[in-house]
Amino acid sequence: MNSMSTDAGLLDQQDSLSSLRSKFSLPEGMIYLDGNSLGPLPKAVKSRVDQVMTEQWGNSLITSWNKHQWINLPQRTGDRIGALIGAAPGQTLCCDSISINLFKVLAVALQLRPGTVVLSTEDNFPTDLYMVQGLRDLFSARSIELKLVAESELTASINNDVAAVLVTHVNFRTGALLDIEQLTAKAHACHAAMIVDLAHSAGALPVALDAWQVDFAVGCTYKYLNAGPGAPAFLYVAKRHLGKAAQPLYGWMGHADAFAFSPSYQPAQDISQYLTGTPSILAMSAVDAALDVFAQTNMQAIRDKSMQLGMVFQSEIARRGLDQYLTLMSPSAPQARGSQISYAHPHAYAICQALIADGVIGDFRAPDYLRLGFTPLYTSFADVFMAVDRLERIMQDEVYLEDKFQRRQKVT
Ligand SMILES: *Cc1c(COP(=O)(O)O)cnc(C)c1O
């Protein structure tokens, strides 16, 4: 055994989370560094969805809405997600997608706050920016303006014209982490609402929405929460805003008394108002089951291991001199980034394809980023060393120049 694999062995032995890998169905031999895009299948999800299909839907049919409490699954699952993001019960709901949830919370923030500017960052995830543009165009009379600045300019750009500051906690390309508590304080000093996208935070690192006094948040469950492709997202509305203004997608599930079937809309006064239509029970049962694994650890332990995995990867890249080809685009200090590391390279797409062909799954983000996620629940230190070994061979032999790795597919 060489010294590297001894290191990996020792690190894996000391890893208090190592037993959790067995909770996931991962293909033999695959090194999965893309849990930041789509988490793998938890075994508990498979059995829960099967149970909900056969026992609940199959046997109890429509009576399941009461009998199996399907009716309040969005609230129950929401509260369980809330526990992972520092939200007391009654403020988090599992529903819809990030995009739709953003529309809802943005519309409420704009009703509650006097400003007209939605301030965000140039390289925020596009759907976040598109939803603001959609609202702006729909309510053109209000002359809402989307203003985009560099992350470093954010704090200085918050002023009294701003109605809402919309940021993603962890930058999806670089992994850079924003100081949400400090941004929220500045937003509040300027009478603006703080809206945070937790797509790359929920299940990846400790978040304290209540303590930071964030106003609204959204996030998905298919990345670090491992609930499956297109699984329902979540939203958070601070208690002080509930019942103050209604989100405008007046669906019957958000009515104060849905089963009165009244022709006129009366908004529920609690978080339920943020529901729209009938929830996807199968998909939401998957979310609920995927959360079980988090009861066996805590967000700080997950964060500690994620930083350690990232540091090991980074130092192996440097030790082998690979940093002369790959430019680190993430903050160098693990405390300053989320659970991913990105490198820029003119052939990033092809390098990623060559890695995938070699059993290491990462992803590519335009324009030229190779993005690797370090997800502590199922990634071992041995995985990290093997991933660097394979990356080293691909870089040194310029394997990525092969034609087959250069062809672009629809989803990157
Ligand atoms: C993944 C991601 C999304 C995706 O939004 P959906 O509506 O769930 O497709 C949105 N914002 C950020 C920051 C993301 O990383």
Side-chain angles (χ1 to χ4, degrees):
M1 209 192 258
N2 64 31
S3 73
M4 262 147 34
S5 50
T6 319
D7 282 355
L10 196 64
L11 288 164
D12 281 326
Q13 262 172 37
Q14 293 166 344
D15 172 14
S16 64
L17 302 183
S18 61
S19 65
L20 298 179
R21 183 186 178 98
S22 66
K23 305 281 177 197
F24 294 87
S25 291
L26 282 159
E28 197 63 44
M30 181 191 281
I31 298 172
Y32 195 65
L33 302 182
D34 213 358
N36 49 307
S37 270
L38 177 68
L41 171 63
K43 291 175 184 166
V45 165
K46 214 171 170 187
S47 51
R48 177 79 65 86
V49 171
D50 191 53
Q51 180 204 3
V52 172
M53 278 200 291
T54 52
E55 290 173 26
Q56 301 187 4
W57 180 23
N59 275 331
S60 307
L61 285 108
I62 200 161
T63 65
S64 298
W65 286 102
N66 291 315
K67 188 171 174 191
H68 298 295
Q69 296 286 294
W70 286 356
I71 194 65
N72 59 22
L73 191 59
Q75 292 87 343
R76 281 189 284 128
T77 307
D79 280 343
R80 292 186 74 197
I81 296 169
L84 300 178
I85 54 175
Q91 304 174 103
T92 313
L93 202 58
C94 185
C95 57
D96 302 314
S97 63
I98 287 190
S99 306
I100 292 174
N101 288 337
L102 262 177
F103 186 91
K104 294 185 271 190
V105 301
L106 270 164
V108 171
L110 288 167
Q111 290 175 68
L112 292 175
R113 293 292 173 257
T116 53
V117 172
V118 175
L119 181 70
S120 193
T121 56
E122 287 154 353
D123 60 350
N124 199 347
F125 194 88
T127 206
D128 297 41
L129 306 180
Y130 300 160
M131 296 314 291
V132 180
Q133 295 166 41
L135 262 173
R136 175 197 66 196
D137 296 348
L138 181 62
F139 300 111
S140 49
R142 171 108 189 251
S143 52
I144 294 160
E145 183 195 339
L146 172 62
K147 186 174 170 199
L148 302 180
V149 298
E151 273 171 10
S152 56
E153 303 290 312
L154 258 178
T155 309
S157 306
I158 303 174
N159 58 39
N160 287 323
D161 296 333
V162 175
V165 179
L166 167 62
V167 294
T168 296
H169 186 199
V170 177
N171 184 297
F172 79 103
R173 279 199 192 88
T174 65
L177 196 58
L178 293 176
D179 184 341
I180 299 300
E181 186 170 24
Q182 180 235 318
L183 285 167
T184 305
K186 178 78 191 283
H188 288 176
C190 295
H191 310 286
M194 188 72 195
I195 307 176
V196 184
D197 186 333
L198 298 173
H200 293 275
S201 315
L205 54 140
V207 174
L209 292 180
D210 287 348
W212 297 341
Q213 308 216 345
V214 167
D215 297 286
F216 305 93
V218 296
C220 61
T221 62
Y222 51 78
K223 292 173 180 162
Y224 294 93
L225 295 177
N226 315 308
F234 65 87
L235 60 77
Y236 161 91
V237 180
K239 201 170 162 189
R240 60 188 174 279
H241 299 312
L242 294 173
K244 297 282 164 57
Q247 64 87 6
L249 300 177
Y250 285 4
W252 72 302
M253 288 282 161
H255 192 281
D257 186 2
F259 288 86
F261 293 105
S262 156
S264 60
Y265 187 77
Q266 289 297 327
Q269 296 300 297
D270 62 5
I271 191 73
S272 309
Q273 200 268 321
Y274 286 79
L275 288 173
T276 50
T278 308
S280 169
I281 295 300
L282 291 178
M284 207 173 290
S285 300
V287 180
D288 198 42
L291 296 171
D292 289 353
V293 71
F294 290 92
Q296 307 196 23
T297 177
N298 62 73
M299 288 314 307
Q300 193 56 53
I302 290 174
R303 174 65 167 157
D304 290 345
K305 180 176 168 189
S306 126
M307 291 196 292
Q308 214 187 351
L309 288 168
M311 276 189 290
V312 167
F313 187 86
Q314 204 180 347
S315 69
E316 280 301 304
I317 291 284
R319 198 178 63 77
R320 301 171 195 216
L322 296 175
D323 50 357
Q324 57 180 315
Y325 316 112
L326 296 164
T327 313
L328 181 68
M329 298 309 289
S330 304
S332 185
Q335 297 82 357
R337 63 183 183 226
S339 214
Q340 66 176 68
I341 303 188
S342 306
Y343 295 92
H345 189 284
H347 288 288
Y349 180 78
I351 294 169
C352 186
Q353 292 305 307
L355 272 172
I356 292 171
D358 213 358
V360 180
I361 316 291
D363 62 20
F364 163 81
R365 283 294 173 263
D368 60 355
Y369 287 44
L370 172 67
R371 188 176 69 163
L372 303 167
F374 298 94
T375 45
L377 296 175
Y378 47 85
T379 306
S380 67
F381 289 92
D383 287 339
V384 170
F385 282 92
M386 281 190 285
V388 188
D389 284 346
R390 296 185 198 172
L391 180 58
E392 183 177 28
R393 188 185 68 85
I394 289 165
M395 297 312 295
Q396 280 175 351
D397 299 350
E398 299 189 330
V399 176
Y400 54 85
L401 293 179
E402 284 177 39
D403 265 3
K404 62 178 177 194
F405 297 135
Q406 302 269 340
R407 256 172 267 129
R408 292 268 171 126
Q409 290 183 291
K410 186 160 184 192
V411 176
T412 63

mmCIF file of all heavy atoms in Angstrom, residues 36-37 96-102 124-128 131 167-172 197-200 218-223 230-233 365 371, ligand 1:
data_model
loop_
_atom_site.group_PDB
_atom_site.id
_atom_site.type_symbol
_atom_site.label_atom_id
_atom_site.label_comp_id
_atom_site.label_asym_id
_atom_site.label_seq_id
_atom_site.Cartn_x
_atom_site.Cartn_y
_atom_site.Cartn_z
ATOM 1 N N ASN A 36 -24.169 17.827 -5.660
ATOM 2 C CA ASN A 36 -24.608 19.222 -5.641
ATOM 3 C C ASN A 36 -25.564 19.514 -6.797
ATOM 4 O O ASN A 36 -26.192 20.568 -6.819
ATOM 5 C CB ASN A 36 -23.392 20.153 -5.714
ATOM 6 C CG ASN A 36 -22.440 19.783 -6.828
ATOM 7 O OD1 ASN A 36 -22.005 18.636 -6.907
ATOM 8 N ND2 ASN A 36 -22.133 20.711 -7.694
ATOM 9 N N SER A 37 -25.690 18.586 -7.744
ATOM 10 C CA SER A 37 -26.663 18.756 -8.831
ATOM 11 C C SER A 37 -27.848 17.816 -8.655
ATOM 12 O O SER A 37 -28.990 18.211 -8.808
ATOM 13 C CB SER A 37 -26.021 18.450 -10.191
ATOM 14 O OG SER A 37 -25.466 19.600 -10.745
ATOM 15 N N ASP A 96 -43.927 22.927 -4.863
ATOM 16 C CA ASP A 96 -43.542 23.490 -6.166
ATOM 17 C C ASP A 96 -42.036 23.397 -6.448
ATOM 18 O O ASP A 96 -41.368 22.515 -5.958
ATOM 19 C CB ASP A 96 -44.073 24.930 -6.261
ATOM 20 C CG ASP A 96 -45.593 24.977 -6.079
ATOM 21 O OD1 ASP A 96 -46.269 24.150 -6.695
ATOM 22 O OD2 ASP A 96 -46.092 25.810 -5.301
ATOM 23 N N SER A 97 -41.539 24.327 -7.264
ATOM 24 C CA SER A 97 -40.107 24.354 -7.589
ATOM 25 C C SER A 97 -39.507 25.636 -7.033
ATOM 26 O O SER A 97 -40.248 26.542 -6.626
ATOM 27 C CB SER A 97 -39.913 24.310 -9.112
ATOM 28 O OG SER A 97 -40.485 25.463 -9.702
ATOM 29 N N ILE A 98 -38.201 25.746 -7.038
ATOM 30 C CA ILE A 98 -37.560 26.992 -6.604
ATOM 31 C C ILE A 98 -38.124 28.161 -7.410
ATOM 32 O O ILE A 98 -38.478 29.211 -6.868
ATOM 33 C CB ILE A 98 -36.028 26.946 -6.807
ATOM 34 C CG1 ILE A 98 -35.383 26.026 -5.789
ATOM 35 C CG2 ILE A 98 -35.421 28.354 -6.717
ATOM 36 C CD1 ILE A 98 -33.857 26.095 -5.764
ATOM 37 N N SER A 99 -38.205 27.973 -8.728
ATOM 38 C CA SER A 99 -38.635 29.068 -9.602
ATOM 39 C C SER A 99 -40.016 29.586 -9.185
ATOM 40 O O SER A 99 -40.209 30.796 -9.021
ATOM 41 C CB SER A 99 -38.669 28.592 -11.054
ATOM 42 O OG SER A 99 -37.416 28.037 -11.416
ATOM 43 N N ILE A 100 -40.963 28.688 -9.012
ATOM 44 C CA ILE A 100 -42.327 29.112 -8.649
ATOM 45 C C ILE A 100 -42.337 29.715 -7.245
ATOM 46 O O ILE A 100 -42.993 30.732 -6.990
ATOM 47 C CB ILE A 100 -43.298 27.918 -8.772
ATOM 48 C CG1 ILE A 100 -43.427 27.546 -10.251
ATOM 49 C CG2 ILE A 100 -44.662 28.241 -8.171
ATOM 50 C CD1 ILE A 100 -44.226 26.296 -10.514
ATOM 51 N N ASN A 101 -41.596 29.105 -6.343
ATOM 52 C CA ASN A 101 -41.562 29.642 -4.978
ATOM 53 C C ASN A 101 -40.944 31.034 -4.939
ATOM 54 O O ASN A 101 -41.364 31.886 -4.144
ATOM 55 C CB ASN A 101 -40.811 28.681 -4.049
ATOM 56 C CG ASN A 101 -41.623 27.426 -3.771
ATOM 57 O OD1 ASN A 101 -42.856 27.442 -3.887
ATOM 58 N ND2 ASN A 101 -40.963 26.344 -3.416
ATOM 59 N N LEU A 102 -39.982 31.269 -5.809
ATOM 60 C CA LEU A 102 -39.384 32.606 -5.875
ATOM 61 C C LEU A 102 -40.401 33.637 -6.330
ATOM 62 O O LEU A 102 -40.451 34.752 -5.816
ATOM 63 C CB LEU A 102 -38.212 32.605 -6.862
ATOM 64 C CG LEU A 102 -36.836 32.455 -6.251
ATOM 65 C CD1 LEU A 102 -35.799 32.410 -7.354
ATOM 66 C CD2 LEU A 102 -36.536 33.612 -5.290
ATOM 67 N N ASN A 124 -25.820 35.267 -10.424
ATOM 68 C CA ASN A 124 -26.798 34.451 -9.707
ATOM 69 C C ASN A 124 -27.345 33.416 -10.694
ATOM 70 O O ASN A 124 -27.248 33.575 -11.913
ATOM 71 C CB ASN A 124 -27.937 35.335 -9.177
ATOM 72 C CG ASN A 124 -28.714 34.655 -8.057
ATOM 73 O OD1 ASN A 124 -28.570 33.445 -7.824
ATOM 74 N ND2 ASN A 124 -29.536 35.400 -7.362
ATOM 75 N N PHE A 125 -27.936 32.368 -10.166
ATOM 76 C CA PHE A 125 -28.505 31.326 -11.026
ATOM 77 C C PHE A 125 -29.582 31.968 -11.913
ATOM 78 O O PHE A 125 -30.446 32.676 -11.416
ATOM 79 C CB PHE A 125 -29.111 30.219 -10.154
ATOM 80 C CG PHE A 125 -29.410 28.966 -10.907
ATOM 81 C CD1 PHE A 125 -28.447 27.979 -11.063
ATOM 82 C CD2 PHE A 125 -30.655 28.772 -11.474
ATOM 83 C CE1 PHE A 125 -28.730 26.810 -11.766
ATOM 84 C CE2 PHE A 125 -30.946 27.610 -12.185
ATOM 85 C CZ PHE A 125 -29.978 26.623 -12.325
ATOM 86 N N PRO A 126 -29.539 31.706 -13.219
ATOM 87 C CA PRO A 126 -30.432 32.428 -14.136
ATOM 88 C C PRO A 126 -31.914 32.384 -13.775
ATOM 89 O O PRO A 126 -32.610 33.388 -13.905
ATOM 90 C CB PRO A 126 -30.169 31.748 -15.477
ATOM 91 C CG PRO A 126 -28.766 31.245 -15.355
ATOM 92 C CD PRO A 126 -28.574 30.870 -13.920
ATOM 93 N N THR A 127 -32.422 31.235 -13.316
ATOM 94 C CA THR A 127 -33.869 31.183 -13.055
ATOM 95 C C THR A 127 -34.267 32.235 -12.012
ATOM 96 O O THR A 127 -35.341 32.835 -12.088
ATOM 97 C CB THR A 127 -34.345 29.763 -12.656
ATOM 98 O OG1 THR A 127 -35.715 29.626 -13.005
ATOM 99 C CG2 THR A 127 -34.185 29.462 -11.174
ATOM 100 N N ASP A 128 -33.394 32.507 -11.055
ATOM 101 C CA ASP A 128 -33.690 33.507 -10.027
ATOM 102 C C ASP A 128 -33.872 34.875 -10.686
ATOM 103 O O ASP A 128 -34.774 35.638 -10.334
ATOM 104 C CB ASP A 128 -32.560 33.572 -8.986
ATOM 105 C CG ASP A 128 -32.397 32.252 -8.212
ATOM 106 O OD1 ASP A 128 -32.494 31.184 -8.840
ATOM 107 O OD2 ASP A 128 -32.165 32.300 -6.988
ATOM 108 N N MET A 131 -37.122 35.013 -12.970
ATOM 109 C CA MET A 131 -38.393 35.179 -12.251
ATOM 110 C C MET A 131 -38.625 36.648 -11.904
ATOM 111 O O MET A 131 -39.767 37.117 -11.931
ATOM 112 C CB MET A 131 -38.430 34.310 -10.984
ATOM 113 C CG MET A 131 -38.378 32.806 -11.222
ATOM 114 S SD MET A 131 -39.458 32.117 -12.498
ATOM 115 C CE MET A 131 -41.066 32.338 -11.773
ATOM 116 N N VAL A 167 -30.355 36.923 -3.156
ATOM 117 C CA VAL A 167 -29.044 36.316 -3.363
ATOM 118 C C VAL A 167 -29.083 34.806 -3.151
ATOM 119 O O VAL A 167 -29.939 34.291 -2.444
ATOM 120 C CB VAL A 167 -27.964 36.893 -2.405
ATOM 121 C CG1 VAL A 167 -27.697 38.357 -2.705
ATOM 122 C CG2 VAL A 167 -28.348 36.681 -0.954
ATOM 123 N N THR A 168 -28.142 34.142 -3.781
ATOM 124 C CA THR A 168 -27.941 32.724 -3.523
ATOM 125 C C THR A 168 -26.777 32.611 -2.541
ATOM 126 O O THR A 168 -25.718 33.200 -2.761
ATOM 127 C CB THR A 168 -27.674 31.973 -4.842
ATOM 128 O OG1 THR A 168 -28.844 32.082 -5.657
ATOM 129 C CG2 THR A 168 -27.397 30.507 -4.592
ATOM 130 N N HIS A 169 -27.041 31.915 -1.450
ATOM 131 C CA HIS A 169 -26.080 31.807 -0.347
ATOM 132 C C HIS A 169 -24.726 31.283 -0.828
ATOM 133 O O HIS A 169 -23.680 31.838 -0.494
ATOM 134 C CB HIS A 169 -26.689 30.866 0.703
ATOM 135 C CG HIS A 169 -25.925 30.733 1.967
ATOM 136 N ND1 HIS A 169 -26.110 29.671 2.816
ATOM 137 C CD2 HIS A 169 -24.975 31.497 2.549
ATOM 138 C CE1 HIS A 169 -25.301 29.803 3.860
ATOM 139 N NE2 HIS A 169 -24.615 30.899 3.726
ATOM 140 N N VAL A 170 -24.771 30.201 -1.640
ATOM 141 C CA VAL A 170 -23.544 29.623 -2.190
ATOM 142 C C VAL A 170 -23.600 29.787 -3.709
ATOM 143 O O VAL A 170 -24.498 29.245 -4.352
ATOM 144 C CB VAL A 170 -23.427 28.122 -1.841
ATOM 145 C CG1 VAL A 170 -22.189 27.513 -2.486
ATOM 146 C CG2 VAL A 170 -23.411 27.900 -0.337
ATOM 147 N N ASN A 171 -22.669 30.505 -4.271
ATOM 148 C CA ASN A 171 -22.636 30.735 -5.721
ATOM 149 C C ASN A 171 -22.560 29.401 -6.470
ATOM 150 O O ASN A 171 -21.691 28.574 -6.183
ATOM 151 C CB ASN A 171 -21.417 31.613 -6.051
ATOM 152 C CG ASN A 171 -21.344 31.985 -7.512
ATOM 153 O OD1 ASN A 171 -21.213 31.128 -8.379
ATOM 154 N ND2 ASN A 171 -21.410 33.266 -7.789
ATOM 155 N N PHE A 172 -23.479 29.193 -7.428
ATOM 156 C CA PHE A 172 -23.554 27.872 -8.068
ATOM 157 C C PHE A 172 -22.339 27.573 -8.936
ATOM 158 O O PHE A 172 -22.009 26.415 -9.158
ATOM 159 C CB PHE A 172 -24.858 27.714 -8.861
ATOM 160 C CG PHE A 172 -24.883 28.367 -10.218
ATOM 161 C CD1 PHE A 172 -24.736 27.594 -11.361
ATOM 162 C CD2 PHE A 172 -25.050 29.725 -10.354
ATOM 163 C CE1 PHE A 172 -24.768 28.181 -12.628
ATOM 164 C CE2 PHE A 172 -25.084 30.321 -11.614
ATOM 165 C CZ PHE A 172 -24.928 29.548 -12.752
ATOM 166 N N ASP A 197 -31.663 32.245 -1.649
ATOM 167 C CA ASP A 197 -31.794 30.960 -2.326
ATOM 168 C C ASP A 197 -30.791 29.991 -1.691
ATOM 169 O O ASP A 197 -29.587 30.248 -1.690
ATOM 170 C CB ASP A 197 -31.514 31.152 -3.824
ATOM 171 C CG ASP A 197 -31.763 29.884 -4.639
ATOM 172 O OD1 ASP A 197 -31.646 28.782 -4.077
ATOM 173 O OD2 ASP A 197 -32.053 30.019 -5.842
ATOM 174 N N LEU A 198 -31.327 28.902 -1.140
ATOM 175 C CA LEU A 198 -30.503 27.934 -0.415
ATOM 176 C C LEU A 198 -30.250 26.659 -1.219
ATOM 177 O O LEU A 198 -29.974 25.605 -0.648
ATOM 178 C CB LEU A 198 -31.180 27.573 0.916
ATOM 179 C CG LEU A 198 -31.390 28.723 1.907
ATOM 180 C CD1 LEU A 198 -32.217 28.242 3.112
ATOM 181 C CD2 LEU A 198 -30.049 29.272 2.387
ATOM 182 N N ALA A 199 -30.337 26.771 -2.560
ATOM 183 C CA ALA A 199 -30.188 25.573 -3.406
ATOM 184 C C ALA A 199 -28.926 24.775 -3.077
ATOM 185 O O ALA A 199 -28.946 23.553 -3.058
ATOM 186 C CB ALA A 199 -30.192 25.957 -4.878
ATOM 187 N N HIS A 200 -27.830 25.487 -2.823
ATOM 188 C CA HIS A 200 -26.566 24.794 -2.553
ATOM 189 C C HIS A 200 -26.166 24.855 -1.076
ATOM 190 O O HIS A 200 -25.001 24.680 -0.737
ATOM 191 C CB HIS A 200 -25.446 25.370 -3.439
ATOM 192 C CG HIS A 200 -25.664 25.072 -4.885
ATOM 193 N ND1 HIS A 200 -25.258 23.891 -5.456
ATOM 194 C CD2 HIS A 200 -26.294 25.766 -5.857
ATOM 195 C CE1 HIS A 200 -25.612 23.882 -6.737
ATOM 196 N NE2 HIS A 200 -26.242 25.006 -7.004
ATOM 197 N N VAL A 218 -35.825 30.241 -0.335
ATOM 198 C CA VAL A 218 -36.282 29.134 -1.178
ATOM 199 C C VAL A 218 -35.124 28.149 -1.313
ATOM 200 O O VAL A 218 -33.973 28.499 -1.047
ATOM 201 C CB VAL A 218 -36.695 29.608 -2.593
ATOM 202 C CG1 VAL A 218 -37.900 30.534 -2.544
ATOM 203 C CG2 VAL A 218 -35.514 30.300 -3.303
ATOM 204 N N GLY A 219 -35.438 26.939 -1.724
ATOM 205 C CA GLY A 219 -34.364 25.964 -1.946
ATOM 206 C C GLY A 219 -34.950 24.707 -2.551
ATOM 207 O O GLY A 219 -36.175 24.536 -2.595
ATOM 208 N N CYS A 220 -34.080 23.842 -3.045
ATOM 209 C CA CYS A 220 -34.586 22.616 -3.663
ATOM 210 C C CYS A 220 -34.200 21.420 -2.804
ATOM 211 O O CYS A 220 -33.405 21.528 -1.882
ATOM 212 C CB CYS A 220 -34.058 22.463 -5.082
ATOM 213 S SG CYS A 220 -32.270 22.345 -5.156
ATOM 214 N N THR A 221 -34.772 20.285 -3.133
ATOM 215 C CA THR A 221 -34.522 19.086 -2.329
ATOM 216 C C THR A 221 -33.803 18.006 -3.126
ATOM 217 O O THR A 221 -33.523 16.941 -2.608
ATOM 218 C CB THR A 221 -35.844 18.498 -1.795
ATOM 219 O OG1 THR A 221 -36.653 18.108 -2.908
ATOM 220 C CG2 THR A 221 -36.604 19.505 -0.939
ATOM 221 N N TYR A 222 -33.546 18.278 -4.408
ATOM 222 C CA TYR A 222 -32.919 17.233 -5.233
ATOM 223 C C TYR A 222 -31.398 17.323 -5.258
ATOM 224 O O TYR A 222 -30.749 16.471 -5.834
ATOM 225 C CB TYR A 222 -33.483 17.243 -6.662
ATOM 226 C CG TYR A 222 -33.472 18.596 -7.347
ATOM 227 C CD1 TYR A 222 -32.314 19.117 -7.890
ATOM 228 C CD2 TYR A 222 -34.633 19.354 -7.424
ATOM 229 C CE1 TYR A 222 -32.299 20.358 -8.503
ATOM 230 C CE2 TYR A 222 -34.639 20.601 -8.033
ATOM 231 C CZ TYR A 222 -33.462 21.101 -8.572
ATOM 232 O OH TYR A 222 -33.453 22.333 -9.165
ATOM 233 N N LYS A 223 -30.825 18.360 -4.649
ATOM 234 C CA LYS A 223 -29.367 18.465 -4.607
ATOM 235 C C LYS A 223 -28.871 17.782 -3.323
ATOM 236 O O LYS A 223 -28.903 16.574 -3.229
ATOM 237 C CB LYS A 223 -28.955 19.933 -4.724
ATOM 238 C CG LYS A 223 -29.274 20.497 -6.119
ATOM 239 C CD LYS A 223 -29.061 21.988 -6.271
ATOM 240 C CE LYS A 223 -29.401 22.431 -7.696
ATOM 241 N NZ LYS A 223 -29.631 23.862 -7.844
ATOM 242 N N GLY A 230 -36.321 16.497 -9.790
ATOM 243 C CA GLY A 230 -37.549 17.281 -9.825
ATOM 244 C C GLY A 230 -38.401 17.180 -8.569
ATOM 245 O O GLY A 230 -39.581 17.545 -8.570
ATOM 246 N N ALA A 231 -37.824 16.705 -7.479
ATOM 247 C CA ALA A 231 -38.586 16.602 -6.220
ATOM 248 C C ALA A 231 -39.057 17.997 -5.795
ATOM 249 O O ALA A 231 -38.416 18.993 -6.120
ATOM 250 C CB ALA A 231 -37.710 15.995 -5.130
ATOM 251 N N PRO A 232 -40.191 18.078 -5.077
ATOM 252 C CA PRO A 232 -40.706 19.393 -4.680
ATOM 253 C C PRO A 232 -39.682 20.203 -3.887
ATOM 254 O O PRO A 232 -38.907 19.641 -3.113
ATOM 255 C CB PRO A 232 -41.906 19.066 -3.797
ATOM 256 C CG PRO A 232 -42.251 17.656 -4.080
ATOM 257 C CD PRO A 232 -41.025 16.978 -4.603
ATOM 258 N N ALA A 233 -39.707 21.504 -4.086
ATOM 259 C CA ALA A 233 -38.777 22.429 -3.443
ATOM 260 C C ALA A 233 -39.327 22.864 -2.083
ATOM 261 O O ALA A 233 -40.278 22.259 -1.566
ATOM 262 C CB ALA A 233 -38.573 23.635 -4.352
ATOM 263 N N ARG A 365 -19.976 23.689 -15.908
ATOM 264 C CA ARG A 365 -20.844 24.857 -15.946
ATOM 265 C C ARG A 365 -20.208 25.900 -16.844
ATOM 266 O O ARG A 365 -18.998 26.173 -16.735
ATOM 267 C CB ARG A 365 -21.065 25.424 -14.534
ATOM 268 C CG ARG A 365 -22.072 24.613 -13.717
ATOM 269 C CD ARG A 365 -23.470 24.703 -14.325
ATOM 270 N NE ARG A 365 -24.454 23.835 -13.690
ATOM 271 C CZ ARG A 365 -24.821 22.616 -14.132
ATOM 272 N NH1 ARG A 365 -24.253 22.097 -15.183
ATOM 273 N NH2 ARG A 365 -25.758 21.927 -13.512
ATOM 274 N N ARG A 371 -16.874 21.514 -12.174
ATOM 275 C CA ARG A 371 -17.404 21.689 -10.822
ATOM 276 C C ARG A 371 -17.523 20.334 -10.137
ATOM 277 O O ARG A 371 -18.135 19.406 -10.671
ATOM 278 C CB ARG A 371 -18.785 22.358 -10.926
ATOM 279 C CG ARG A 371 -19.376 22.769 -9.608
ATOM 280 C CD ARG A 371 -20.681 23.509 -9.828
ATOM 281 N NE ARG A 371 -21.722 22.614 -10.317
ATOM 282 C CZ ARG A 371 -23.029 22.905 -10.290
ATOM 283 N NH1 ARG A 371 -23.443 24.072 -9.830
ATOM 284 N NH2 ARG A 371 -23.917 22.048 -10.732
HETATM 285 C C1 LIG B 1 -30.537 24.386 -8.872
HETATM 286 C C2 LIG B 1 -30.884 25.822 -8.685
HETATM 287 C C3 LIG B 1 -32.154 26.315 -9.044
HETATM 288 C C4 LIG B 1 -33.143 25.457 -9.767
HETATM 289 O O1 LIG B 1 -34.450 25.952 -9.735
HETATM 290 P P1 LIG B 1 -35.669 24.969 -10.078
HETATM 291 O O2 LIG B 1 -36.834 25.842 -10.149
HETATM 292 O O3 LIG B 1 -35.711 23.957 -8.973
HETATM 293 O O4 LIG B 1 -35.349 24.298 -11.365
HETATM 294 C C5 LIG B 1 -32.446 27.623 -8.713
HETATM 295 N N1 LIG B 1 -31.531 28.432 -8.097
HETATM 296 C C6 LIG B 1 -30.293 27.982 -7.790
HETATM 297 C C7 LIG B 1 -29.329 28.879 -7.101
HETATM 298 C C8 LIG B 1 -29.929 26.670 -8.088
HETATM 299 O O5 LIG B 1 -28.706 26.238 -7.810
#
